Amino acid sequence: MKVIIDTDCGVDDALALAFLARSPEIDLLAALATFGNNQTFNTARNTRYVLDAFGKQDVPVYSGARAPFVRDYEHETSVHGETGLGYHTSPDEAAGRIQPGFAPSALLRILREADDQVTLLPVGPLTNIALALIEDADTMRAKVDRLVLMGGSTARGNMTPAAEANFWHDPEAASIVMKSGIPITMVGLDVTEKMKVPRSYVERLEGSEATAKEILGDALRFYSDFQLQASGFDGFVFHDALAAALLVRPDLCTLVPYHVEISLDFVATRGESLCDASGRFGEPNVDVAVDVDVNEALQFILGRVAPEVDVATDLADLAA
Ligand code: RIB
Ligand code: CA
């Protein structure tokens, strides 16, 4: 399966990149960086660094949008850390190995040159994808077989009570993507907030021989510290890697066709994904994940990211 990821490489994006690198079914053609969890020059550098750590030096990384269409980008570091990888900082030299060219244009070039269709995996704000649609929607519709994206929710937000972060950062971009006509699988907070992993996993990861344990350990420890003060759960909750896992195991989630629109008003609901399954408010345009096989997903994903670390022990801790 040919895949291109669009990422605001922060902590859970790094898990998704590690999962893709450890999945033989995936032919990762490129990674596109966007703003979101951090500024684009950091998310691009982090993407390059994590892919290299997992042996994917051959996967090109392109830098994309630095801000959303309408509002200014408000940079904050409490969730993913100062430069996006928690307590870890990717080396400056990684920034020197970002491909020249703007990510949306690189995406269109790769699609035009591709013999087969490509699956896009956006796990950050959708600005790069929307820009490519504005530049050449025909190529996007002809060569993208599906967008499997992490974003939105049928019920609640995490940046505001209504809006999930990826959609909140650029609602106009999310709206353009929802209306693109390209088949979409939306993996939202409904299911990703169930991807809870106790801190004991992080401690055992750091004590293991797992690849890139320093990067992932530093990143996940910060994510756990944030989660503890934010919600009282002593561990981390990941989002993006579940969307990545659906590329290989679509059975992990229950999908329901919804009509999805994005609230663009400059009121409290801005960025909300308005999801309707009744058919009364429009034809279904998105397959929305409404449930997940939690234990199976956690063991599958973390088993690929770090096979040296047994997850069952932690799940037992979690269930206790
Ligand atoms: O709301 C969760 C999403 O926002 C995830 O993609 C996380 O990485 C952040 O980008
Ligand atoms: Ca992300």
Side-chain angles (χ1 to χ4, degrees):
M1 173 189 276
K2 296 191 182 307
V3 175
I4 294 174
I5 187 172
D6 187 70
T7 173
D8 58 338
C9 192
V11 176
D12 66 319
D13 306 68
L15 276 184
L17 289 167
F19 174 84
L20 294 174
R22 283 286 171 81
S23 295
E25 306 88 345
I26 302 293
D27 176 6
L28 188 60
L29 300 180
L32 316 177
T34 177
F35 70 94
N37 289 327
N38 210 285
Q39 294 157 299
T40 308
F41 67 85
N42 277 327
T43 65
R45 183 173 76 168
N46 294 343
T47 302
R48 178 71 281 157
Y49 181 50
V50 172
L51 285 174
D52 292 351
F54 281 88
K56 293 295 181 181
Q57 290 84 350
D58 59 326
V59 176
V61 176
Y62 296 89
S63 184
R66 286 174 162 64
F69 285 140
V70 178
R71 273 192 168 156
D72 293 338
Y73 166 50
E74 296 166 9
H75 172 223
E76 64 88 31
T77 60
S78 65
V79 183
H80 292 263
E82 193 58 36
T83 61
L85 284 181
Y87 294 119
H88 207 90
T89 300
S90 47
D92 291 342
E93 62 81 24
R97 286 183 289 109
I98 305 304
Q99 298 294 313
F102 190 42
S105 302
L107 168 60
L108 290 169
R109 175 178 50 75
I110 295 167
L111 291 175
R112 290 180 192 119
E113 292 169 358
D115 296 331
D116 308 317
Q117 287 198 304
V118 176
T119 300
L120 297 191
L121 177 66
V123 291
L126 290 164
T127 314
N128 286 335
I129 309 302
L131 284 166
L133 283 163
I134 291 166
E135 182 178 342
D136 185 351
D138 290 343
T139 294
M140 290 287 281
R141 291 192 189 107
K143 301 300 282 290
V144 175
D145 63 352
R146 181 166 283 267
L147 284 156
V148 180
L149 64 88
M150 193 281 139
S153 165
T154 63
R156 69 196 71 78
N158 57 0
M159 284 300 277
T160 70
E164 177 278 328
N166 290 338
F167 288 8
W168 178 84
H169 273 298
D170 197 339
E172 282 72 18
S175 183
I176 289 169
V177 171
M178 291 300 136
K179 294 176 178 174
S180 66
I182 297 173
I184 296 172
T185 298
M186 181 177 115
V187 184
L189 290 175
D190 311 62
V191 289
T192 63
E193 63 190 10
K194 296 176 181 177
M195 296 290 99
K196 298 174 71 168
V197 184
R199 188 186 292 267
S200 55
Y201 173 84
V202 184
E203 290 158 358
R204 293 191 308 103
L205 171 71
E206 292 187 297
S208 75
E209 292 306 309
T211 302
K213 64 177 184 179
E214 295 80 9
I215 303 172
L216 294 181
D218 284 351
L220 293 172
R221 209 161 1 92
F222 186 97
Y223 222 31
S224 300
D225 293 344
F226 161 76
Q227 196 69 44
L228 182 58
Q229 61 83 25
S231 71
F233 170 62
D234 191 15
F236 63 94
V237 177
F238 65 80
H239 308 275
D240 299 338
L242 181 57
L246 282 199
L247 298 176
V248 178
R249 286 282 307 274
D251 61 294
L252 291 174
C253 286
T254 304
L255 301 178
V256 173
Y258 273 79
H259 176 74
V260 179
E261 289 183 22
I262 308 300
S263 170
L264 302 180
D265 304 319
F266 286 86
V267 293
T269 55
R270 179 168 168 76
E272 180 176 10
S273 45
L274 305 167
C275 301
D276 170 59
S278 73
R280 289 170 53 223
F281 300 104
E283 286 301 307
N285 56 331
V286 180
D287 294 320
V288 176
V290 295
D291 200 4
V292 57
D293 183 340
V294 175
N295 273 1
E296 179 64 22
L298 288 173
Q299 297 203 53
F300 176 65
I301 295 164
L302 297 176
R304 286 205 171 182
V305 168
E308 301 83 354
V309 185
D310 172 38
V311 189
T313 310
D314 304 289
L315 298 186
D317 291 350
L318 197 58

